[in-house]
Amino acid sequence: MAQTQPHAAPALLPHPDQAEHSEHTSAPASAQRLLQLARDTLAIEAQALHDMAQRLDTRFVQAVERILACRGRVVVSGMGKSGHVGRKIAATLASTGTPALFMHPGEASHGDLGMITSADVLLAISNSGESEELSAILPLIKRMGVPLLAMTGRADSNLGRHADVLLDTSVAKEACPHNLAPTASTTAQLAMGDALAVALLDARGFKAEDFARSHPGGALGRKLLTLVADVMRPAEQAPRVGLQARLPEIMREISAKGLGATAVVDADGVPVGIFTDGDLRRLIERGADLHALRAEHVMHPAPHTVRPQALAVEAAERMETHRITSVLVVDDAGRLCGALNSHDLMRAKVI
Protein backbone atom coordinates (compact mmCIF):
# COMPACT_ATOMS: atom_id res chain seq x y z
CA MET A 1 0.00 0.00 0.00
CA ALA A 2 1.36 3.33 -0.98
CA GLN A 3 2.20 5.50 1.95
CA THR A 4 0.08 8.62 2.16
CA GLN A 5 2.15 11.75 2.24
CA PRO A 6 0.96 14.41 4.68
CA HIS A 7 -0.37 17.55 3.10
CA ALA A 8 1.98 20.51 3.40
CA ALA A 9 0.51 23.41 5.32
CA PRO A 10 -0.50 26.16 2.89
CA ALA A 11 1.60 29.26 3.01
CA LEU A 12 -0.11 32.06 4.89
CA LEU A 13 -0.78 35.04 2.69
CA PRO A 14 -1.01 38.47 4.22
CA HIS A 15 -4.49 39.84 4.66
CA PRO A 16 -5.23 42.39 1.90
CA ASP A 17 -5.55 45.14 4.52
CA GLN A 18 -2.26 44.11 6.08
CA ALA A 19 -0.54 44.02 2.72
CA GLU A 20 -1.78 47.48 1.87
CA HIS A 21 -0.74 48.76 5.29
CA SER A 22 2.75 47.31 5.01
CA GLU A 23 3.14 48.72 1.51
CA HIS A 24 2.56 52.31 2.69
CA THR A 25 4.16 52.07 6.12
CA SER A 26 7.47 53.80 6.48
CA ALA A 27 9.86 54.40 9.32
CA PRO A 28 8.66 56.94 11.88
CA ALA A 29 9.61 60.47 10.91
CA SER A 30 12.15 62.21 13.07
CA ALA A 31 11.07 65.02 15.34
CA GLN A 32 13.23 67.39 13.29
CA ARG A 33 11.41 66.49 10.07
CA LEU A 34 7.99 66.84 11.69
CA LEU A 35 8.84 70.29 12.96
CA GLN A 36 10.28 71.31 9.61
CA LEU A 37 7.15 70.19 7.77
CA ALA A 38 5.01 72.19 10.21
CA ARG A 39 7.16 75.28 9.75
CA ASP A 40 7.11 74.90 5.97
CA THR A 41 3.33 74.58 6.00
CA LEU A 42 2.89 77.72 8.05
CA ALA A 43 5.39 79.63 5.94
CA ILE A 44 3.72 78.61 2.66
CA GLU A 45 0.27 79.55 3.91
CA ALA A 46 1.50 82.82 5.41
CA GLN A 47 3.12 83.70 2.07
CA ALA A 48 -0.11 82.85 0.25
CA LEU A 49 -2.05 85.26 2.48
CA HIS A 50 0.59 87.97 2.03
CA ASP A 51 0.46 87.60 -1.76
CA MET A 52 -3.34 87.70 -1.74
CA ALA A 53 -3.34 90.88 0.36
CA GLN A 54 -1.05 92.53 -2.18
CA ARG A 55 -3.43 91.60 -5.04
CA LEU A 56 -6.55 93.07 -3.41
CA ASP A 57 -8.12 95.73 -5.61
CA THR A 58 -11.42 97.45 -6.33
CA ARG A 59 -13.08 94.09 -6.99
CA PHE A 60 -13.11 93.49 -3.23
CA VAL A 61 -14.85 96.84 -2.76
CA GLN A 62 -17.37 95.88 -5.44
CA ALA A 63 -18.09 92.59 -3.66
CA VAL A 64 -18.75 94.41 -0.38
CA GLU A 65 -20.99 96.92 -2.14
CA ARG A 66 -22.99 94.13 -3.81
CA ILE A 67 -23.58 92.47 -0.46
CA LEU A 68 -24.52 95.73 1.26
CA ALA A 69 -27.05 96.41 -1.50
CA CYS A 70 -28.50 92.92 -1.16
CA ARG A 71 -32.08 92.92 0.14
CA GLY A 72 -31.95 89.19 0.91
CA ARG A 73 -29.17 86.94 2.08
CA VAL A 74 -25.72 85.88 1.02
CA VAL A 75 -26.02 82.28 -0.18
CA VAL A 76 -22.61 80.62 0.07
CA SER A 77 -21.89 77.50 -1.95
CA GLY A 78 -18.90 75.27 -2.54
CA MET A 79 -18.02 71.61 -3.06
CA GLY A 80 -15.64 69.44 -1.05
CA LYS A 81 -13.10 71.32 1.05
CA SER A 82 -14.35 74.60 -0.42
CA GLY A 83 -17.77 73.64 0.88
CA HIS A 84 -16.46 73.20 4.41
CA VAL A 85 -14.85 76.64 4.16
CA GLY A 86 -18.09 78.01 2.77
CA ARG A 87 -20.05 76.81 5.79
CA LYS A 88 -17.69 78.67 8.07
CA ILE A 89 -17.88 81.84 5.97
CA ALA A 90 -21.69 81.73 6.01
CA ALA A 91 -21.66 81.28 9.79
CA THR A 92 -19.23 84.18 10.26
CA LEU A 93 -21.29 86.48 8.05
CA ALA A 94 -24.52 85.59 9.83
CA SER A 95 -23.02 86.22 13.27
CA THR A 96 -21.64 89.62 12.27
CA GLY A 97 -24.74 91.27 10.85
CA THR A 98 -24.95 89.88 7.29
CA PRO A 99 -27.77 87.32 6.87
CA ALA A 100 -26.25 84.28 5.19
CA LEU A 101 -26.73 80.56 4.67
CA PHE A 102 -24.87 77.67 3.05
CA MET A 103 -26.30 75.78 0.08
CA HIS A 104 -24.71 72.50 -1.01
CA PRO A 105 -24.22 72.74 -4.80
CA GLY A 106 -24.94 69.04 -5.33
CA GLU A 107 -28.26 69.28 -3.51
CA ALA A 108 -29.06 72.53 -5.32
CA SER A 109 -29.67 70.60 -8.54
CA HIS A 110 -32.18 68.42 -6.68
CA GLY A 111 -34.41 71.06 -5.14
CA ASP A 112 -32.25 73.14 -2.81
CA LEU A 113 -31.88 75.80 -5.49
CA GLY A 114 -35.21 76.99 -4.11
CA MET A 115 -33.22 78.47 -1.23
CA ILE A 116 -32.13 81.30 -3.53
CA THR A 117 -34.38 84.22 -4.41
CA SER A 118 -33.82 87.12 -6.77
CA ALA A 119 -33.12 89.32 -3.74
CA ASP A 120 -30.08 87.24 -2.74
CA VAL A 121 -26.40 87.20 -3.67
CA LEU A 122 -24.53 83.97 -4.42
CA LEU A 123 -20.96 83.59 -3.17
CA ALA A 124 -19.53 80.57 -5.02
CA ILE A 125 -16.22 79.08 -3.89
CA SER A 126 -14.02 76.79 -5.99
CA ASN A 127 -10.25 76.79 -6.25
CA SER A 128 -10.25 75.30 -9.76
CA GLY A 129 -13.40 77.11 -10.79
CA GLU A 130 -14.52 73.97 -12.63
CA SER A 131 -16.63 72.22 -10.00
CA GLU A 132 -19.27 70.28 -11.94
CA GLU A 133 -21.88 70.79 -9.25
CA LEU A 134 -21.42 74.57 -9.27
CA SER A 135 -21.20 74.73 -13.07
CA ALA A 136 -24.55 72.96 -13.35
CA ILE A 137 -26.41 75.68 -11.46
CA LEU A 138 -24.63 78.77 -12.86
CA PRO A 139 -26.94 79.19 -15.90
CA LEU A 140 -29.98 79.12 -13.62
CA ILE A 141 -28.39 81.63 -11.27
CA LYS A 142 -27.70 83.99 -14.16
CA ARG A 143 -31.24 83.53 -15.49
CA MET A 144 -32.66 84.52 -12.09
CA GLY A 145 -30.58 87.70 -12.15
CA VAL A 146 -28.83 86.79 -8.88
CA PRO A 147 -25.45 88.57 -8.55
CA LEU A 148 -22.62 86.03 -8.60
CA LEU A 149 -19.54 86.62 -6.49
CA ALA A 150 -16.82 84.07 -7.21
CA MET A 151 -13.94 83.10 -4.97
CA THR A 152 -11.54 81.11 -7.16
CA GLY A 153 -7.90 80.54 -7.93
CA ARG A 154 -8.43 80.64 -11.71
CA ALA A 155 -9.84 83.74 -13.33
CA ASP A 156 -10.15 81.97 -16.72
CA SER A 157 -12.24 79.11 -15.29
CA ASN A 158 -15.92 78.52 -15.94
CA LEU A 159 -16.79 80.06 -12.58
CA GLY A 160 -14.44 82.99 -13.14
CA ARG A 161 -15.95 83.80 -16.54
CA HIS A 162 -19.52 83.76 -15.21
CA ALA A 163 -18.78 85.88 -12.12
CA ASP A 164 -20.08 89.41 -11.76
CA VAL A 165 -17.29 90.03 -9.25
CA LEU A 166 -14.18 87.85 -9.04
CA LEU A 167 -12.19 87.52 -5.81
CA ASP A 168 -8.76 86.10 -6.58
CA THR A 169 -7.79 83.45 -4.03
CA SER A 170 -5.05 81.81 -6.10
CA VAL A 171 -1.95 80.45 -4.39
CA ALA A 172 1.52 79.74 -5.76
CA LYS A 173 1.42 76.20 -4.32
CA GLU A 174 -0.30 74.08 -1.76
CA ALA A 175 1.41 73.33 1.54
CA CYS A 176 0.93 69.62 0.82
CA PRO A 177 4.36 68.12 -0.13
CA HIS A 178 2.73 66.67 -3.25
CA ASN A 179 1.02 69.98 -4.08
CA LEU A 180 -2.30 68.16 -4.15
CA ALA A 181 -4.27 68.39 -0.88
CA PRO A 182 -6.17 71.69 -0.50
CA THR A 183 -4.19 73.49 2.20
CA ALA A 184 -2.90 76.93 1.26
CA SER A 185 -5.85 77.39 -1.11
CA THR A 186 -8.47 76.72 1.57
CA THR A 187 -6.60 78.98 3.99
CA ALA A 188 -6.77 81.74 1.37
CA GLN A 189 -10.51 81.19 0.90
CA LEU A 190 -11.14 81.26 4.63
CA ALA A 191 -9.11 84.45 5.07
CA MET A 192 -10.92 86.16 2.17
CA GLY A 193 -14.23 85.27 3.82
CA ASP A 194 -13.05 86.80 7.08
CA ALA A 195 -11.94 89.93 5.21
CA LEU A 196 -15.42 90.27 3.71
CA ALA A 197 -17.08 89.77 7.09
CA VAL A 198 -14.90 92.37 8.82
CA ALA A 199 -15.38 94.94 6.06
CA LEU A 200 -19.15 94.36 6.11
CA LEU A 201 -19.56 94.59 9.88
CA ASP A 202 -17.63 97.86 9.91
CA ALA A 203 -19.72 99.26 7.05
CA ARG A 204 -22.92 98.29 8.89
CA GLY A 205 -21.77 99.86 12.17
CA PHE A 206 -22.00 96.46 13.84
CA LYS A 207 -21.10 96.77 17.55
CA ALA A 208 -20.14 94.41 20.36
CA GLU A 209 -23.72 94.63 21.67
CA ASP A 210 -25.02 93.43 18.29
CA PHE A 211 -22.56 90.54 18.37
CA ALA A 212 -23.73 89.59 21.84
CA ARG A 213 -27.36 89.44 20.70
CA SER A 214 -26.46 86.69 18.23
CA HIS A 215 -24.30 84.89 20.82
CA PRO A 216 -26.49 84.84 23.96
CA GLY A 217 -24.95 81.57 25.12
CA GLY A 218 -21.36 82.74 24.95
CA ALA A 219 -19.19 84.61 27.41
CA LEU A 220 -19.63 87.90 25.56
CA GLY A 221 -23.40 87.42 25.51
CA ARG A 222 -23.45 86.92 29.26
CA LYS A 223 -21.37 90.03 29.81
CA LEU A 224 -23.31 92.30 27.50
CA LEU A 225 -26.87 91.03 27.93
CA THR A 226 -27.06 90.16 31.65
CA LEU A 227 -28.79 92.86 33.68
CA VAL A 228 -28.29 93.66 37.34
CA ALA A 229 -31.89 92.53 37.90
CA ASP A 230 -30.95 89.07 36.59
CA VAL A 231 -28.24 88.43 39.19
CA MET A 232 -28.92 90.72 42.17
CA ARG A 233 -30.17 89.61 45.56
CA PRO A 234 -33.83 90.69 45.88
CA ALA A 235 -35.11 93.27 48.35
CA GLU A 236 -35.88 90.76 51.10
CA GLN A 237 -32.29 89.48 50.96
CA ALA A 238 -30.69 92.93 50.88
CA PRO A 239 -29.31 93.84 54.34
CA ARG A 240 -30.56 97.13 55.75
CA VAL A 241 -30.67 98.97 59.08
CA GLY A 242 -31.93 102.36 60.18
CA LEU A 243 -29.79 105.35 61.08
CA GLN A 244 -30.29 104.74 64.83
CA ALA A 245 -29.37 101.04 64.76
CA ARG A 246 -26.68 100.05 67.26
CA LEU A 247 -23.70 97.88 66.34
CA PRO A 248 -25.09 94.57 67.70
CA GLU A 249 -28.15 94.98 65.47
CA ILE A 250 -25.94 95.96 62.53
CA MET A 251 -23.76 92.86 62.91
CA ARG A 252 -26.80 90.57 63.21
CA GLU A 253 -28.11 91.96 59.92
CA ILE A 254 -24.76 91.53 58.18
CA SER A 255 -24.46 87.94 59.43
CA ALA A 256 -28.05 87.05 58.54
CA LYS A 257 -27.88 88.31 54.94
CA GLY A 258 -24.33 87.14 54.21
CA LEU A 259 -23.28 90.11 52.10
CA GLY A 260 -20.44 91.26 54.34
CA ALA A 261 -22.09 94.70 54.55
CA THR A 262 -25.39 96.41 55.20
CA ALA A 263 -27.14 99.43 53.79
CA VAL A 264 -28.09 102.21 56.15
CA VAL A 265 -31.45 103.61 55.03
CA ASP A 266 -33.58 106.59 56.00
CA ALA A 267 -37.26 106.51 56.88
CA ASP A 268 -38.19 106.25 53.17
CA GLY A 269 -35.93 103.27 52.55
CA VAL A 270 -33.37 105.32 50.61
CA PRO A 271 -29.75 104.21 51.22
CA VAL A 272 -27.79 107.03 52.85
CA GLY A 273 -24.78 104.97 53.87
CA ILE A 274 -23.14 101.56 54.04
CA PHE A 275 -21.27 99.69 56.80
CA THR A 276 -19.05 96.66 56.19
CA ASP A 277 -17.48 94.01 58.36
CA GLY A 278 -14.15 95.58 57.47
CA ASP A 279 -15.35 98.80 59.09
CA LEU A 280 -16.10 96.81 62.25
CA ARG A 281 -12.56 95.39 62.37
CA ARG A 282 -11.12 98.87 62.07
CA LEU A 283 -13.34 100.12 64.92
CA ILE A 284 -12.14 97.29 67.14
CA GLU A 285 -8.52 98.05 66.25
CA ARG A 286 -9.05 101.68 67.32
CA GLY A 287 -10.59 100.58 70.62
CA ALA A 288 -13.92 102.32 69.94
CA ASP A 289 -16.83 101.93 72.40
CA LEU A 290 -18.93 99.62 70.20
CA HIS A 291 -22.05 99.79 72.37
CA ALA A 292 -22.26 103.56 72.20
CA LEU A 293 -22.06 103.85 68.42
CA ARG A 294 -25.02 103.98 66.07
CA ALA A 295 -25.22 103.38 62.31
CA GLU A 296 -25.22 107.10 61.49
CA HIS A 297 -21.89 107.45 63.35
CA VAL A 298 -19.99 104.62 61.60
CA MET A 299 -21.46 104.39 58.10
CA HIS A 300 -19.80 105.50 54.86
CA PRO A 301 -22.15 108.14 53.38
CA ALA A 302 -23.18 108.27 49.72
CA PRO A 303 -22.86 104.53 48.98
CA HIS A 304 -22.38 103.29 45.41
CA THR A 305 -25.68 102.28 43.82
CA VAL A 306 -26.91 100.87 40.51
CA ARG A 307 -30.31 100.44 38.89
CA PRO A 308 -31.82 97.00 38.17
CA GLN A 309 -31.93 97.86 34.44
CA ALA A 310 -28.16 98.48 34.30
CA LEU A 311 -25.90 95.88 32.71
CA ALA A 312 -24.27 93.59 35.25
CA VAL A 313 -20.91 94.27 33.61
CA GLU A 314 -21.33 97.97 34.49
CA ALA A 315 -21.74 97.02 38.14
CA ALA A 316 -18.60 94.89 37.88
CA GLU A 317 -16.66 97.80 36.39
CA ARG A 318 -17.82 100.11 39.21
CA MET A 319 -16.70 97.61 41.84
CA GLU A 320 -13.31 97.30 40.19
CA THR A 321 -12.87 101.06 39.77
CA HIS A 322 -13.70 101.86 43.40
CA ARG A 323 -12.14 98.69 44.84
CA ILE A 324 -15.31 97.56 46.53
CA THR A 325 -16.99 94.16 46.61
CA SER A 326 -20.66 95.19 46.91
CA VAL A 327 -23.09 97.72 45.45
CA LEU A 328 -26.64 98.56 46.47
CA VAL A 329 -29.46 98.34 43.95
CA VAL A 330 -32.07 101.11 44.01
CA ASP A 331 -35.29 101.68 42.11
CA ASP A 332 -36.28 104.81 40.16
CA ALA A 333 -37.29 106.53 43.43
CA GLY A 334 -33.88 105.77 44.96
CA ARG A 335 -35.24 103.19 47.43
CA LEU A 336 -33.26 100.04 48.20
CA CYS A 337 -34.57 97.13 46.13
CA GLY A 338 -31.64 94.71 46.11
CA ALA A 339 -27.93 94.17 46.56
CA LEU A 340 -25.11 92.74 44.51
CA ASN A 341 -21.58 91.60 45.27
CA SER A 342 -18.68 90.16 43.33
CA HIS A 343 -19.59 86.56 44.20
CA ASP A 344 -23.01 87.02 42.56
CA LEU A 345 -21.30 88.25 39.38
CA MET A 346 -18.86 85.34 39.43
CA ARG A 347 -21.68 82.79 39.77
CA ALA A 348 -23.38 84.38 36.75
CA LYS A 349 -20.02 84.21 34.86
CA VAL A 350 -20.13 87.94 34.23
CA ILE A 351 -16.62 88.19 35.65
Side-chain angles (χ1 to χ4, degrees), residues 5-13:
Q5 298 292 330
H7 291 289
L12 293 177
L13 297 176

Side-chain angles (χ1 to χ4, degrees), residues 101-157:
L101 59 85
F102 178 80
M103 178 188 70
H104 192 289
E107 299 294 339
S109 295
H110 299 277
D112 280 6
L113 197 61
M115 293 179 176
I116 303 181
T117 72
S118 58
D120 297 331
V121 167
L122 177 65
L123 174 59
I125 308 172
S126 171
N127 186 43
S128 69
E130 300 295 345
S131 166
E132 293 182 7
E133 293 82 0
L134 276 176
S135 296
I137 65 174
L138 292 183
L140 296 171
I141 295 298
K142 302 300 286 186
R143 188 181 308 163
M144 292 172 64
V146 174
L148 173 61
L149 313 182
M151 199 181 287
T152 181
R154 288 180 51 199
D156 60 346
S157 63

Side-chain angles (χ1 to χ4, degrees), residues 158-225:
N158 187 45
L159 178 60
R161 290 191 301 271
H162 280 83
D164 295 301
V165 180
L166 174 67
L167 295 173
D168 182 2
T169 54
S170 60
V171 297
K173 62 177 179 179
E174 299 286 4
C176 166
H178 308 297
N179 198 31
L180 294 174
T183 45
S185 58
T186 49
T187 298
Q189 293 168 354
L190 189 63
M192 183 66 80
D194 287 343
L196 283 173
V198 170
L200 286 163
L201 73 86
D202 183 74
R204 297 183 190 280
F206 194 81
K207 297 180 175 60
E209 291 80 2
D210 302 311
F211 187 86
R213 276 190 283 272
S214 60
H215 297 76
L220 181 60
R222 285 192 295 271
K223 286 185 178 181
L224 296 182
L225 298 181

Side-chain angles (χ1 to χ4, degrees), residues 273-312:
I274 190 169
F275 182 80
T276 71
D277 50 12
D279 295 327
L280 175 63
R281 288 195 299 272
R282 285 184 284 273
L283 287 174
I284 295 174
E285 290 171 358
R286 294 202 304 266
D289 183 0
L290 302 184
H291 294 285
L293 297 174
R294 299 179 185 274
E296 61 181 340
H297 302 140
V298 296
M299 70 180 188
H300 291 285
H304 294 284
T305 62
V306 293
R307 298 294 178 86
Q309 300 82 12
L311 291 172

